[in-house]
Amino acid sequence: MKVVILAGGYGTRFSEQSQYKPKPLIEIGGMPILWHILKGYSHYGFNDFIICAGYKQYAVKQWFANYFLYTSDITFDMKHGNKMIIHNQRTEPWTVTVVDTGLNTMTGGRIKRVQPYIGNETFMLTYGDGVCDVNISNVLAFHKSHGRLATLTSVILEQQKGVLDIGGDNAVHSFREKNINDGAPINAGFMVLEPEIFDYIEGDDTVFERDSLMKLADQGQLMSYSHKGFWQCMDNKREYDLLEKLWQTGHAPWKVWDN
Protein backbone atom coordinates (compact mmCIF):
# COMPACT_ATOMS: atom_id res chain seq x y z
CA MET A 1 0.00 0.00 0.00
CA LYS A 2 1.33 3.42 -0.94
CA VAL A 3 1.92 6.14 1.64
CA VAL A 4 1.60 9.76 0.47
CA ILE A 5 3.51 12.41 2.42
CA LEU A 6 2.57 16.09 2.07
CA ALA A 7 5.94 17.83 2.01
CA GLY A 8 5.53 20.79 -0.31
CA GLY A 9 4.60 23.78 1.86
CA TYR A 10 6.72 26.82 2.62
CA GLY A 11 6.92 26.26 6.37
CA THR A 12 6.63 29.99 6.98
CA ARG A 13 5.85 29.51 10.68
CA PHE A 14 9.28 27.99 11.12
CA SER A 15 11.28 30.42 9.02
CA GLU A 16 14.39 30.07 11.20
CA GLN A 17 15.31 26.94 9.23
CA SER A 18 12.71 26.57 6.48
CA GLN A 19 14.15 29.53 4.59
CA TYR A 20 17.11 27.27 3.82
CA LYS A 21 15.40 23.90 3.33
CA PRO A 22 11.89 22.40 3.18
CA LYS A 23 10.52 21.89 6.67
CA PRO A 24 10.33 18.07 6.25
CA LEU A 25 14.13 18.10 5.86
CA ILE A 26 14.75 19.90 9.17
CA GLU A 27 16.70 17.44 11.26
CA ILE A 28 15.78 15.82 14.56
CA GLY A 29 18.72 13.90 15.96
CA GLY A 30 20.70 14.44 12.79
CA MET A 31 18.04 13.03 10.44
CA PRO A 32 15.16 14.88 8.70
CA ILE A 33 11.77 14.64 10.36
CA LEU A 34 10.64 13.14 7.04
CA TRP A 35 13.01 10.22 7.66
CA HIS A 36 11.48 9.70 11.10
CA ILE A 37 8.00 9.54 9.56
CA LEU A 38 9.06 7.02 6.92
CA LYS A 39 10.79 4.90 9.56
CA GLY A 40 7.55 4.77 11.53
CA TYR A 41 5.53 3.53 8.56
CA SER A 42 8.29 1.09 7.59
CA HIS A 43 8.16 -0.45 11.06
CA TYR A 44 4.62 -1.62 10.26
CA GLY A 45 5.59 -2.95 6.84
CA PHE A 46 4.64 0.01 4.65
CA ASN A 47 7.61 0.88 2.44
CA ASP A 48 6.17 2.41 -0.74
CA PHE A 49 6.20 6.21 -0.44
CA ILE A 50 5.12 9.12 -2.62
CA ILE A 51 6.47 12.48 -1.51
CA CYS A 52 4.41 15.51 -2.56
CA ALA A 53 7.21 18.03 -2.88
CA GLY A 54 7.00 21.70 -3.83
CA TYR A 55 9.02 24.33 -2.00
CA LYS A 56 12.70 23.57 -2.69
CA GLN A 57 11.61 20.22 -4.12
CA TYR A 58 15.05 19.65 -5.57
CA ALA A 59 16.43 19.43 -2.02
CA VAL A 60 14.12 16.52 -1.20
CA LYS A 61 15.27 14.65 -4.31
CA GLN A 62 18.88 15.43 -3.53
CA TRP A 63 18.56 14.18 0.06
CA PHE A 64 17.18 10.79 -0.99
CA ALA A 65 19.81 10.42 -3.71
CA ASN A 66 22.58 11.21 -1.24
CA TYR A 67 21.08 8.96 1.44
CA PHE A 68 21.14 6.05 -0.97
CA LEU A 69 24.76 6.70 -1.91
CA TYR A 70 26.07 7.57 1.55
CA THR A 71 24.71 4.37 3.07
CA SER A 72 26.25 2.14 0.40
CA ASP A 73 29.75 1.18 -0.69
CA ILE A 74 30.48 2.51 -4.18
CA THR A 75 32.98 1.74 -6.90
CA PHE A 76 33.61 4.52 -9.42
CA ASP A 77 34.99 2.72 -12.46
CA MET A 78 36.46 5.28 -14.83
CA LYS A 79 38.48 2.68 -16.77
CA HIS A 80 35.52 0.69 -18.07
CA GLY A 81 32.90 3.13 -19.31
CA ASN A 82 32.69 5.50 -16.35
CA LYS A 83 30.43 3.17 -14.38
CA MET A 84 29.26 3.48 -10.80
CA ILE A 85 28.73 0.19 -8.97
CA ILE A 86 26.74 0.01 -5.73
CA HIS A 87 27.85 -2.53 -3.11
CA ASN A 88 26.43 -3.51 0.28
CA GLN A 89 23.44 -1.22 0.27
CA ARG A 90 22.43 -0.57 3.87
CA THR A 91 19.39 1.63 3.36
CA GLU A 92 15.83 0.67 4.26
CA PRO A 93 13.73 -1.35 1.78
CA TRP A 94 11.93 1.76 0.58
CA THR A 95 10.54 2.76 -2.77
CA VAL A 96 10.38 6.55 -2.76
CA THR A 97 8.79 8.57 -5.55
CA VAL A 98 9.38 12.31 -5.19
CA VAL A 99 6.88 14.34 -7.21
CA ASP A 100 7.13 18.08 -7.86
CA THR A 101 3.51 19.05 -7.07
CA GLY A 102 4.06 22.76 -7.63
CA LEU A 103 5.23 25.70 -5.61
CA ASN A 104 1.87 27.26 -4.71
CA THR A 105 -0.40 24.22 -4.91
CA MET A 106 -2.76 23.67 -1.98
CA THR A 107 -2.86 20.39 -0.03
CA GLY A 108 -5.76 18.94 -1.99
CA GLY A 109 -4.13 19.88 -5.26
CA ARG A 110 -0.92 18.15 -4.26
CA ILE A 111 -2.81 14.94 -3.53
CA LYS A 112 -4.64 15.20 -6.86
CA ARG A 113 -1.36 15.61 -8.73
CA VAL A 114 -0.03 12.25 -7.48
CA GLN A 115 -3.18 10.35 -8.45
CA PRO A 116 -1.43 8.72 -11.45
CA TYR A 117 1.11 7.18 -9.05
CA ILE A 118 -1.63 5.79 -6.78
CA GLY A 119 -4.14 4.46 -9.27
CA ASN A 120 -7.38 2.90 -8.09
CA GLU A 121 -6.08 1.68 -4.74
CA THR A 122 -6.56 2.44 -1.07
CA PHE A 123 -3.67 4.58 0.16
CA MET A 124 -2.34 6.32 3.26
CA LEU A 125 -1.68 10.02 3.73
CA THR A 126 0.03 12.13 6.35
CA TYR A 127 1.89 15.41 6.80
CA GLY A 128 5.65 15.76 6.49
CA ASP A 129 6.10 17.66 9.75
CA GLY A 130 4.46 15.54 12.45
CA VAL A 131 5.52 12.40 14.32
CA CYS A 132 3.33 9.95 16.20
CA ASP A 133 3.48 6.58 17.96
CA VAL A 134 0.13 5.44 16.54
CA ASN A 135 -0.08 1.81 15.42
CA ILE A 136 -0.48 2.20 11.66
CA SER A 137 -1.74 -1.36 11.26
CA ASN A 138 -4.54 -0.67 13.73
CA VAL A 139 -5.55 2.47 11.83
CA LEU A 140 -5.74 0.45 8.62
CA ALA A 141 -7.76 -2.31 10.29
CA PHE A 142 -10.19 0.27 11.67
CA HIS A 143 -10.56 1.82 8.22
CA LYS A 144 -11.34 -1.53 6.64
CA SER A 145 -13.92 -2.27 9.33
CA HIS A 146 -16.22 0.70 8.70
CA GLY A 147 -16.36 0.85 4.91
CA ARG A 148 -16.27 4.65 4.58
CA LEU A 149 -14.06 6.60 2.18
CA ALA A 150 -11.71 8.23 4.67
CA THR A 151 -10.17 7.69 8.10
CA LEU A 152 -8.01 10.17 9.95
CA THR A 153 -6.17 9.83 13.22
CA SER A 154 -7.38 12.23 15.91
CA VAL A 155 -5.66 13.34 19.10
CA ILE A 156 -6.81 15.68 21.84
CA LEU A 157 -4.43 18.57 22.32
CA GLU A 158 -4.89 22.23 23.12
CA GLN A 159 -3.41 23.36 19.84
CA GLN A 160 -4.60 25.28 16.82
CA LYS A 161 -5.38 22.60 14.26
CA GLY A 162 -8.40 21.46 12.27
CA VAL A 163 -11.23 20.70 14.73
CA LEU A 164 -13.40 17.58 14.56
CA ASP A 165 -16.88 16.80 15.90
CA ILE A 166 -16.80 13.03 16.49
CA GLY A 167 -19.92 11.06 17.34
CA GLY A 168 -20.25 8.01 19.56
CA ASP A 169 -19.93 5.76 16.52
CA ASN A 170 -16.56 7.37 15.66
CA ALA A 171 -18.08 9.08 12.64
CA VAL A 172 -16.80 12.60 11.99
CA HIS A 173 -19.93 14.75 11.82
CA SER A 174 -18.20 17.98 11.01
CA PHE A 175 -14.76 19.31 10.16
CA ARG A 176 -13.85 22.97 10.57
CA GLU A 177 -10.81 25.13 10.66
CA LYS A 178 -8.91 25.78 13.88
CA ASN A 179 -10.01 28.21 16.54
CA ILE A 180 -7.73 29.57 19.25
CA ASN A 181 -10.22 28.57 21.96
CA ASP A 182 -10.59 24.95 20.88
CA GLY A 183 -9.66 22.01 23.05
CA ALA A 184 -11.45 19.42 20.91
CA PRO A 185 -9.99 16.47 19.01
CA ILE A 186 -7.72 17.58 16.19
CA ASN A 187 -6.67 16.08 12.89
CA ALA A 188 -3.23 14.53 13.40
CA GLY A 189 -2.92 13.13 9.88
CA PHE A 190 -2.02 9.44 9.53
CA MET A 191 -5.02 8.88 7.28
CA VAL A 192 -6.28 5.98 5.19
CA LEU A 193 -8.17 6.97 2.06
CA GLU A 194 -10.08 5.27 -0.72
CA PRO A 195 -9.35 6.39 -4.30
CA GLU A 196 -12.86 7.89 -4.55
CA ILE A 197 -11.59 10.84 -2.51
CA PHE A 198 -10.02 12.20 -5.69
CA ASP A 199 -13.57 13.09 -6.76
CA TYR A 200 -13.64 15.50 -3.80
CA ILE A 201 -10.61 17.45 -5.09
CA GLU A 202 -11.26 19.94 -7.87
CA GLY A 203 -7.74 21.14 -8.62
CA ASP A 204 -4.63 22.93 -7.43
CA ASP A 205 -6.58 25.47 -5.35
CA THR A 206 -8.41 22.85 -3.29
CA VAL A 207 -7.47 22.84 0.38
CA PHE A 208 -7.90 19.23 1.44
CA GLU A 209 -8.68 20.06 5.06
CA ARG A 210 -11.12 22.92 4.41
CA ASP A 211 -12.81 21.63 1.28
CA SER A 212 -12.47 17.87 0.80
CA LEU A 213 -12.57 16.69 4.42
CA MET A 214 -15.52 18.97 5.18
CA LYS A 215 -17.48 17.49 2.28
CA LEU A 216 -16.60 13.96 3.35
CA ALA A 217 -17.72 14.73 6.90
CA ASP A 218 -21.01 16.25 5.68
CA GLN A 219 -21.72 13.07 3.72
CA GLY A 220 -20.86 10.73 6.58
CA GLN A 221 -17.79 9.41 4.77
CA LEU A 222 -15.11 10.55 7.26
CA MET A 223 -14.23 8.46 10.30
CA SER A 224 -11.86 9.06 13.21
CA TYR A 225 -9.37 6.69 14.73
CA SER A 226 -8.85 8.06 18.23
CA HIS A 227 -5.23 7.92 19.33
CA LYS A 228 -4.44 8.33 23.02
CA GLY A 229 -0.67 8.27 22.71
CA PHE A 230 2.00 10.66 21.50
CA TRP A 231 1.71 13.06 18.59
CA GLN A 232 3.63 16.24 17.91
CA CYS A 233 3.96 18.50 14.90
CA MET A 234 6.91 20.81 14.27
CA ASP A 235 5.48 24.21 13.42
CA ASN A 236 7.95 26.39 15.27
CA LYS A 237 11.27 26.40 17.09
CA ARG A 238 9.68 25.57 20.45
CA GLU A 239 8.21 22.38 19.03
CA TYR A 240 11.47 21.60 17.25
CA ASP A 241 13.39 22.00 20.52
CA LEU A 242 10.91 19.66 22.25
CA LEU A 243 11.35 16.93 19.64
CA GLU A 244 15.13 17.33 19.63
CA LYS A 245 15.27 17.07 23.42
CA LEU A 246 13.12 13.93 23.44
CA TRP A 247 15.37 12.33 20.86
CA GLN A 248 18.66 13.31 22.50
CA THR A 249 17.52 12.06 25.92
CA GLY A 250 16.38 8.73 24.51
CA HIS A 251 12.72 9.40 25.26
CA ALA A 252 11.31 9.80 21.75
CA PRO A 253 7.90 8.04 21.88
CA TRP A 254 7.57 7.99 18.08
CA LYS A 255 10.71 5.84 17.71
CA VAL A 256 8.89 2.52 17.41
CA TRP A 257 11.60 0.95 15.23
CA ASP A 258 14.64 -0.90 16.58
CA ASN A 259 17.41 0.54 14.39
Side-chain angles (χ1 to χ4, degrees), residues 15 38 45 60 94 117 130 175 193-194 201 221 248 254 259:
S15 59
L38 269 59
V60 179
W94 297 343
Y117 298 93
F175 186 103
L193 305 169
E194 295 300 322
I201 303 172
Q221 290 292 335
Q248 294 299 341
W254 69 90
N259 50 51

Side-chain angles (χ1 to χ4, degrees), residues 167-213:
D169 59 353
N170 283 322
V172 179
H173 297 300
S174 69
F175 186 103
R176 62 180 174 79
E177 281 292 282
K178 59 195 176 185
N179 183 297
I180 196 168
N181 297 316
D182 287 318
I186 66 170
N187 171 23
F190 297 92
M191 308 177 203
V192 184
L193 305 169
E194 295 300 322
E196 288 85 355
I197 66 98
F198 290 113
D199 297 333
Y200 291 77
I201 303 172
E202 294 184 5
D204 283 356
D205 294 332
T206 301
V207 178
F208 190 65
E209 300 77 10
R210 187 184 65 205
D211 302 321
S212 307
L213 290 183

Side-chain angles (χ1 to χ4, degrees), residues 51-68:
I51 311 298
C52 297
Y55 172 65
K56 296 185 182 295
Q57 54 85 25
Y58 62 87
V60 179
K61 296 173 182 176
Q62 185 178 56
W63 187 87
F64 278 105
N66 289 340
Y67 183 57
F68 177 78

Side-chain angles (χ1 to χ4, degrees), residues 9-46:
Y10 288 98
T12 52
R13 286 178 291 181
F14 195 10
S15 59
E16 295 93 338
Q17 293 197 48
S18 62
Q19 61 179 312
Y20 305 111
K21 64 179 71 174
K23 187 163 63 166
L25 292 187
I26 294 175
E27 296 181 354
I28 301 296
M31 296 299 285
I33 190 170
L34 180 60
W35 175 87
H36 291 258
I37 296 167
L38 269 59
K39 289 286 284 187
Y41 275 100
S42 188
H43 173 75
Y44 292 102
F46 303 102

Side-chain angles (χ1 to χ4, degrees), residues 81-99:
N82 294 324
K83 295 184 295 184
M84 182 174 70
I85 304 170
I86 306 296
H87 311 277
N88 301 321
Q89 181 184 345
R90 293 182 292 275
T91 51
E92 293 80 357
W94 297 343
T95 299
V96 181
T97 302
V98 182
V99 182

Side-chain angles (χ1 to χ4, degrees), residues 145-160:
S145 73
H146 60 63
R148 314 290 175 83
L149 295 183
T151 297
L152 55 76
T153 297
S154 63
V155 296
I156 298 178
L157 289 177
E158 293 183 1
Q159 295 195 24
Q160 301 177 38

Side-chain angles (χ1 to χ4, degrees), residues 36 40 43-44 131-135 227-232 242-257:
H36 291 258
H43 173 75
Y44 292 102
V131 289
C132 188
D133 63 354
V134 65
N135 187 311
H227 177 56
K228 307 299 183 183
F230 179 86
W231 172 84
Q232 182 61 57
L242 169 63
L243 293 173
E244 181 69 20
K245 181 178 180 180
L246 288 171
W247 184 267
Q248 294 299 341
T249 57
H251 297 94
W254 69 90
K255 186 184 180 300
V256 294
W257 58 93

